[in-house]
Amino acid sequence: MSLRLSTVILPYRRWSEGGRSAWVRAEQLGFHTAYTYDHLSWRSFRDGPWFGAVPTLTAAAGVTERLRLGTLVTSPNFRHPVTLAKELISLDDISGGRITLGIGAGGTGFDATTLLHSGQEQWSPRERADRFAEFVPLLDRLLTEDAVTYEGRFYSAHEARNIPGCVQRPRLPFAVAATGPRGLKLAARHGQAWVTTGDPKLYENGTPEQSVEALRGQIAKLSEACADAGRDAADLDKVLLTGFTPDRARPLRSLDAFVDFAGRHQELGFTEIVIHWPIPDSDFAADEKVFEQIAMETTAQLA
């Protein structure tokens, strides 16, 4: 399968001050999908502007025609399946069926603490995994059934109506972010794609070669999870969100460097690579001319 190149546009700019133009330009450059982060705020951007993912994607749908749009990633940290399903069905309709939901278990950042009551502890890794294991199947049902009633440990739905459903049938695709066994099981059962950022333990002191081997191991575990679910792992797209491996921003320094990086990961089985839209004075700083050259020429060189 040929490699697809996508981008992620962080929602830190006002729509009238560069927000709109980035999404329009992403379509002009030929990206397969333009994603955005679905957070309440994120890392070093916490004390600056940060806008909501669903309104941003709705606005992006109105200024683009072919570009797929999505989240990388939505999580249960501040979302409920019932309300999220309604927003996703609306967004899929507005976009004409161009939405992909990137979804993950969530982490320990601001999303995980903003809604806590005083004295309430953060969810443990086990509880995040438990919630994710309930969240994804319920969301699947909500997006494919006209009416859903469900009573779970964490989430409930009482005759939740979702008519007319998604434009995409049977529902919009899920891109499930996971590296652990429970998350990989969810990807195998419910995902149309699987997402990884690599092995976080290698980010600080690992090497690109070690990262490649770690990713190879993750894909092998995904294949095992798919086999257990009676599914061919080749049916899932495999998405690498870059910027969190030991390579960091080095692949974006030149077209040749990126083609080499992308080729090595294509050989592992990745079908889509996602690069961050350049943000000056941040971890995602990059030369915009080189970025655009990469966007326009990489896939042809790897065909």
Side-chain angles (χ1 to χ4, degrees), residues 38 40 54 74-89 101 103-104 111 115 123 131-132 134-140 142-143 148-160 162 174:
D38 189 12
L40 296 175
V54 172
T74 292
S75 82
N77 271 353
F78 63 96
R79 297 288 188 184
H80 190 286
V82 171
T83 52
L84 178 61
K86 186 65 69 174
E87 292 185 343
L88 290 172
I89 288 170
L101 178 72
I103 187 167
D111 296 346
L115 299 180
W123 300 343
R131 286 178 177 268
F132 193 42
E134 191 174 307
F135 193 101
V136 174
L138 176 55
L139 185 61
D140 194 333
L142 289 162
L143 293 173
V148 174
T149 294
Y150 171 85
E151 189 70 37
R153 179 184 171 195
F154 301 106
Y155 305 105
S156 61
H158 180 67
E159 296 184 3
N162 285 300
F174 288 179

